[in-house]
């Protein structure tokens, strides 16, 4: 492709309303153009990247026997009423009425539509299992769309749905889908992790998220440096440290006037925070509970919700804490707390001998308390957020906290939709049983933005080769004045194209600096510079997008060189 | 692909609500499934066909340098207000509001969006011409969606838009697009015509429709048997017959009691209808006019609108006709008609010597009238609809009236959108001038239905090879009991796949008759039958989808035979 026939819409200016780097670079490189809030047109350059993602996703879906369909974007309200989601789904569901005032929505997802299709077409266990997928436009009416295509309202998604007679069959497909997702992100050369995810309100179901690692990611995830363990920090656990072995000392109460924080308490009593048991009052579905954690640990509300079996858990305000315990904030502790209060102790706090904590009276703290002897050991639970450097729960390695961008999700749905929508099959015994379902999504357009968050520098995008809109940039210097340069550029353009290397020849009459900057901004992995000076020595200058220096290749070796590089990938 | 891994959803029953054959066959063959009125899911088999159309369209768009983009389906109302179409467009425009009550529509077309994009990105004539296209989901809220995907509400369309400095550049791109459309429909093996179309309210613009010919088509088009001439019958002209040469006879008035129709008049006066000039009263924008046509011709209201330069033309009711002329219906004629009446004569009627017509008094008709001598010759115009067998206006051939399904449209838009939306560029002289635009559509999903209307028999679809979801059906007879049959089917399945021939192996444990019927219904062009009987003679049975008989091919020659057949196409 020649730039004169493939106009670039690059810009040096950083768009004012683009907060994150991928959004800035996608606008500056002319991959997308904004139509309205959360609505973007994919320009020719960006669409080539999007199609690269689509192609890899499609190939891997086909490879595991998933069957491609294309469902309508506009979905009848009746189906969502059947599943109960017409009421449950908030204002993110874009509802609309047709000319006859019948209600529809612009689908944010297709569980209802596919379940309706399958209950009409599939009636016997012999037709199971089956998996359908589509790559299709979705709409989610975000209250504050931002970050470009990362959190757009209209976006491209691969959604897949599997149907099974039983859980074992679901698990087999789930594993195949998991492996396919891993291959997809590997083939796209992205640094990613499959992360155990909180399944939220739907208890018991298994779910994993696929995250592209990037410093700007919205989610914190704990990943092992050695094995595949990765979990959202909402869920992640670490290997318990061996318990401290020491003789119990006699408990003593100490005056601690105006001491309210762990740091103040540690300093005044000459302790490290890991010898302190702090007491946190929360309201679990409105009911107070006291949680004991090590002084240097952070309470994890998702874990607290699970430990207290509550729908919602929040920190109590100081007055609420005092009302529940009768003790001013900063001085609550396990010894002497009213017995009717719900209490839990984190595993790590439960293992601290000779600990310090509040005395349940103002301006006093205990030191050298011991569980069992001085205060009953409450029910133990995992309440803390893991920290970087702690031991991996799956291997002997250690954890690191990384940030990730969710680009995929695999989910064992169970019978949620098939029961509410009465999607049943006859089993081997002639009984009507609800089908068991899985669902699996990839944010196709979001993958493009995530790849940029992970791969860029101050000059622009650095595409992983499989995503690049073009593989090789050919920059001809003064080709309009030098026939030799023009001819060699044309020859290489043709030869590289024939070799399947997708060249983009910047054949504009522009200054070399402008061309270099553009090719770097749009992130083409390989760059060839063709100039009279080089040609007089029979060479062409090559530089990889992230390499600091150039090298000179003999003209006749260029195609072979690039083909070899390409095949390594 | 094996049928056990690619479930077919075929049916013998003709769906009750499917009126046309393509709709019936698409449902019966399991290409699509209905979700709601005018909403269809493309099932895996149908999607393979749709993708074949998409691929050919994309290749031909790319070949002429058109650049692919992907614009949002959801479009802000503001842009439609700028162009004026928010008010003009009727209830077919699906309007919606987001959570902030801002107005949008689900785009039925993208002139506004692309014009907005281009006016932001393109500022100089040096960046022109440029053509963008997309293959994207549209919505048109038809009042009565029907005929399946032929007239669905949500559908897949290729829409392209070109931008130019001047008319000459538009015309060059228009010609290239026209040629690309012709290649597309040729490559899809469809019998089609490019048809001159009425441009409706937008005067002066050039527009052609591409029609797939099929008896069930909604549009009547006149096509030449010899040259490329084709026009919607609303517009079509024919070569005038040589004028009849005969001496003028004396006019005579004849009593014709109760004679009101051309047929009655012809019989009573012993004339053929082509010797009669009939008088038709119409109301053009409410004003009466009398049109004279040959007795055997049919008035064409589209042509009348153009001849009378009117927005709307309709036939007058008998009372309206009498009020306008003072003459009862059946007896109106050119001789003695009030002079203030607007009159036009069709070219053919103007060439009849010694004609008969009403006397402008009840129960009397003239014979042997002559224009000029007995009545002033009114302004001449083309008012008649051409008939099969008439001479082609472009060559010596003759016209045929065919029926067509519109699948494409190319249109020289001019400056309609660039003026209303202020999309200007600097020209060579530094002046801001509105860009000149063209737009070009192909109904991608409609092409699939049109192909079936043109290619089917009583047993099902007969796919043109380039559209077929699979090229070759392999039917194995009792493969679960015969290892030899199973092995040969497996070998051929693999070998044909390797040869790029897309085989579908019906490996179900079903009766041969069921498999044959299914493979014929879904229209696979080539069928191989593998049975113990055939294998004992070292052969496989072959039959083309529309061939009446089978032949026996030596097993080892099958792949070569099919590859040769395929290459012929």
């Amino acid at each position: 492709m020649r730039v004169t026939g493939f106009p670039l819409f690059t810009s040096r200016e950083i768009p004012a309303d683009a907060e994150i780097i991928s959004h800035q670079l996608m606008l500056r490189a002319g991959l997308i153009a904004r139509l309205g809030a959360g609505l973007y047109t994919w320009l020719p350059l960006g669409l080539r990247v999007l199609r690269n993602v689509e192609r890899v996703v499609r190939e891997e879906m086909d490879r595991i026997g998933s069957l491609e369909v294309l469902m309508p974007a506009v979905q009848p309200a009746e189906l969502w009423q059947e599943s109960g989601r017409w009421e449950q789904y908030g204002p993110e569901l874009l509802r609309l009425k047709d000319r006859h005032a019948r209600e529809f929505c612009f689908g944010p997802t297709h569980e209802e539509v596919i379940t309706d299709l399958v209950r009409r077409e599939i009636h016997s266990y012999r037709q199971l299992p089956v998996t359908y997928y589509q790559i299709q436009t979705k709409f989610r009416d975000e209250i504050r769309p931002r970050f470009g295509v990362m959190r757009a309202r209209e976006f491209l998604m691969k959604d897949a749905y599997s149907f099974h007679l039983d859980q074992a069959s679901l698990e087999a497909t789930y594993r195949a889908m998991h492996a396919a997702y891993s291959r997809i992100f590997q083939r796209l050369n992205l640094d990613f992790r499959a992360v155990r995810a909180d399944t939220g309100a739907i208890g018991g179901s298994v779910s994993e998220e696929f995250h592209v690692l990037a410093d700007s990611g919205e989610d914190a995830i704990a990943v092992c440096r050695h094995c595949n363990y990765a979990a959202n920090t909402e869920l992640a656990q670490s290997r318990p440290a061996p318990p401290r072995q020491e003789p119990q000392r006699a408990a003593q109460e100490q005056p601690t006037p105006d001491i309210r924080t762990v740091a103040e308490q540690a300093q005044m009593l000459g302790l490290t925070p890991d010898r302190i048991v702090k007491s946190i009052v929360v309201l679990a579905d409105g009911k107070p509970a006291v949680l004991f954690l090590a002084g240097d640990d952070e309470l994890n509300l998702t874990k607290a919700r699970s430990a207290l079996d509550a729908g919602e858990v929040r920190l109590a305000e100081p007055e609420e804490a005092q009302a529940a315990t009768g003790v001013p904030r900063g001085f609550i502790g396990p010894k002497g707390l009213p017995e009717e209060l719900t209490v839990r102790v984190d595993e790590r706090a439960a293992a601290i001998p000779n600990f310090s904590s509040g005395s349940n009276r103002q301006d006093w703290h205990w030191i050298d308390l011991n569980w069992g002897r001085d205060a009953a050991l409450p029910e133990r639970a995992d309440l803390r957020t893991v920290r970087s450097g702690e031991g991996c729960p799956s291997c002997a390695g250690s954890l690191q906290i990384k940030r990730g961008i969710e680009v995929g999700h695999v989910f064992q749905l169970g019978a949620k939709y098939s029961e509410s929508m009465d999607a049943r099959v006859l089993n081997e015994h002639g009984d009507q049983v609800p089908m068991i379902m899985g669902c699996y999504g990839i944010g196709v357009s979001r993958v493009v933005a995530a790849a940029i968050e992970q791969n860029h520098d101050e000059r622009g995008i650095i595409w992983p080769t499989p995503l690049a809109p073009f593989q090789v940039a050919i920059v001809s210097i003064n080709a309009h004045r030098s026939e030799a340069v023009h001819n060699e550029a044309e020859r290489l353009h043709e030869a590289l194209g024939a070799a399947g290397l997708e060249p983009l020849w910047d054949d504009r009459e522009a200054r070399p600096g402008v061309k270099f900057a553009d090719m770097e901004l749009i992130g083409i992995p390989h760059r060839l510079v063709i100039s009279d000076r080089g040609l007089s020595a029979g060479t062409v200058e090559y530089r990889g997008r992230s390499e600091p220096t150039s090298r000179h290749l003999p003209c006749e070796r260029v195609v072979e060189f690039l083909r070899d590089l390409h095949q390594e990938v």
Side-chain angles (χ1 to χ4, degrees), chain A:
Chain A
M1 197 66 82
R2 296 168 188 223
V3 174
T4 49
F6 190 91
L8 302 176
F9 299 107
T10 53
S11 159
R12 301 282 158 262
E13 279 168 52
I14 296 174
D17 56 344
E19 300 169 55
I20 59 170
I21 191 73
S22 61
H23 189 194
Q24 292 170 7
L25 286 174
M26 288 184 79
L27 290 169
R28 287 186 51 208
L31 303 182
I32 56 172
R34 185 179 181 277
L35 172 64
L39 300 174
Y40 292 89
T41 293
W42 288 83
L43 297 174
L45 193 68
L47 189 60
R48 288 178 72 99
V49 181
L50 191 70
R51 295 283 190 238
N52 285 338
V53 180
E54 265 190 64
R55 193 188 58 249
V56 171
V57 169
R58 181 171 283 120
E59 285 172 6
E60 293 299 335
M61 287 298 104
D62 291 346
R63 187 210 289 248
I64 60 168
S66 183
L67 299 169
E68 190 174 2
V69 296
L70 182 60
M71 293 181 264
V74 173
Q75 308 181 6
E78 289 78 20
L79 290 180
W80 287 68
Q81 284 155 353
E82 266 192 78
S83 75
R85 290 209 292 181
W86 190 255
E87 276 69 42
Q88 288 159 21
Y89 223 101
E92 285 195 1
L93 185 65
L94 182 66
R95 292 155 215 256
L96 49 100
K97 287 185 179 157
D98 73 1
R99 64 193 291 164
H100 305 296
R102 283 183 303 234
E103 288 189 299
F104 293 85
C105 66
F106 194 130
T109 175
H110 278 70
E111 281 83 1
E112 283 82 358
V113 175
I114 194 76
T115 303
D116 177 61
L117 178 73
V118 166
R119 73 180 169 181
R120 288 164 190 262
E121 301 287 353
I122 290 185
H123 303 286
S124 160
Y125 73 96
R126 284 194 211 88
Q127 297 169 277
L128 298 179
V130 67
T131 305
Y132 293 106
Y133 80 97
Q134 63 176 350
I135 297 177
Q136 194 253 8
T137 300
K138 303 267 187 277
F139 200 96
R140 197 170 44 201
D141 201 359
E142 297 270 358
I143 190 161
R144 198 160 81 87
R146 48 197 231 153
F147 302 155
V149 300
M150 187 79 90
R151 193 170 283 282
R153 296 201 289 176
E154 192 173 322
F155 57 99
L156 196 66
M157 183 155 165
K158 187 285 297 178
D159 44 330
Y161 307 90
S162 68
F163 293 84
H164 311 269
L165 180 64
D166 53 33
Q167 178 67 19
S169 166
L170 168 60
E171 285 170 16
T173 294
Y174 181 90
R175 281 192 300 273
M177 195 62 80
H178 194 287
Y181 275 40
S182 297
R183 279 194 301 272
I184 287 166
F185 298 116
Q186 271 158 15
R187 284 183 57 186
L188 294 175
N189 274 12
L190 296 172
D191 186 9
F192 74 97
R193 292 296 159 95
V195 171
R196 292 161 208 218
D198 181 32
T199 54
I202 309 172
S205 300
V206 174
S207 160
E208 278 160 283
E209 294 169 357
F210 284 75
H211 283 257
V212 166
L213 301 182
D215 294 341
S216 58
E218 284 191 294
D219 293 291
I221 52 185
V223 304
C224 178
R225 292 170 205 265
H226 295 91
C227 77
N228 275 329
Y229 180 83
N232 200 301
T233 50
E234 290 180 349
L235 280 188
Q237 300 185 314
S238 56
R239 194 175 60 244
R244 214 185 295 244
Q245 300 294 352
E246 60 183 32
Q248 295 191 353
R249 296 189 287 269
Q252 298 178 43
E253 206 173 12
Q254 304 268 1
T256 51
D258 286 334
I259 292 302
R260 295 193 180 261
T261 68
V262 167
E264 290 163 353
Q265 180 184 349
Q267 195 183 10
M268 168 158 282
L269 300 174
L271 302 167
T272 50
D274 62 348
R275 304 306 293 253
I276 289 173
V277 169
K278 64 183 172 186
S279 308
I280 299 174
V281 185
V282 297
L283 293 173
D285 294 334
K287 250 189 71 198
V290 183
L291 308 176
F292 302 115
L293 283 91
D296 56 348
D297 275 341
E298 198 184 312
L299 173 63
N300 180 317
L301 284 173
T302 304
K303 291 182 174 179
R305 199 172 62 201
S306 159
L308 295 166
D309 197 16
E312 193 222 15
V313 171
R314 67 169 176 85
L315 295 178
E317 298 294 327
E319 314 76 54
E320 291 170 332
Q322 185 157 358
T325 59
V327 181
R329 189 166 69 96
F331 302 100
I332 305 169
K335 181 174 161 66
L337 205 59
E339 278 187 13
E340 65 278 15
L341 268 173
T342 300
V343 290
R344 294 285 186 281
V345 63
D346 176 68
E347 297 284 1
R348 184 154 169 269
I352 309 176
N354 300 314
F355 64 84
S356 166
S357 74
S359 288
N360 292 321
R361 59 171 176 148
Q362 186 151 1
D363 295 340
W364 288 86
H365 279 83
W366 285 103
I367 59 168
D368 294 335
L369 288 181
N370 281 283
W371 293 110
R373 185 189 71 179
D374 304 308
L377 184 68
E379 190 175 317
R380 298 155 71 124
D382 179 20
L383 296 173
R384 62 189 291 274
T385 299
V386 297
R387 281 173 299 172
S388 212
E390 294 181 357
C392 171
S394 290
C395 78
S398 66
L399 297 180
Q400 225 179 340
I401 307 298
K402 296 261 193 183
R403 302 208 64 88
I405 298 164
E406 187 191 338
V407 289
H409 200 163
V410 291
F411 207 104
Q412 297 186 15
L413 269 179
K416 178 176 157 66
Y417 292 92
S418 46
E419 275 178 353
S420 60
M421 295 181 66
D422 204 28
R424 291 167 192 277
V425 286
L426 280 179
N427 69 10
E428 307 91 312
H429 313 297
D431 303 321
Q432 293 274 0
V433 295
M435 288 182 257
I436 305 298
M437 281 177 69
C439 70
Y440 319 90
I442 290 180
V444 175
S445 40
R446 183 176 246 219
V447 166
V448 177
I452 295 173
E453 291 292 336
Q454 192 178 79
N455 301 281
H456 65 270
D457 63 14
E458 69 291 350
R459 287 170 295 158
I461 301 165
I462 306 174
W463 287 117
T465 307
L467 281 161
F470 296 95
Q471 298 300 314
V472 186
I474 302 173
V475 177
S476 51
I477 309 288
N478 290 329
H480 55 295
R481 269 178 273 162
S482 162
E483 203 178 334
V485 168
H486 181 276
N487 290 347
E488 179 62 7
E490 191 165 48
R491 182 189 75 79
L492 281 171
H493 182 246
E494 196 166 313
L496 290 167
L501 287 168
E502 302 181 307
L504 179 66
W505 174 13
D506 194 343
D507 60 342
R508 293 174 294 178
E509 278 189 33
R511 283 183 297 110
V514 169
K515 297 184 182 190
F516 293 156
D518 272 352
M519 294 302 117
E520 286 178 335
L521 175 58
I522 69 176
I524 310 298
H526 309 288
R527 186 185 77 189
L528 299 173
V529 180
I530 301 164
S531 65
D532 272 325
R533 195 152 54 111
L535 291 183
S536 68
T539 62
V540 161
E541 188 189 305
Y542 167 81
R543 192 188 293 199
R545 171 63 181 82
S546 43
E547 289 174 18
T549 55
S550 302
R551 31 192 161 155
H552 297 276
L553 305 173
C555 292
E556 67 279 9
R557 281 225 49 239
V558 171
V559 176
E560 192 189 345
F561 171 80
L562 286 166
R563 200 166 38 202
D564 289 352
L565 266 188
H566 194 66
Q567 273 159 358
E568 275 169 35
V569 176

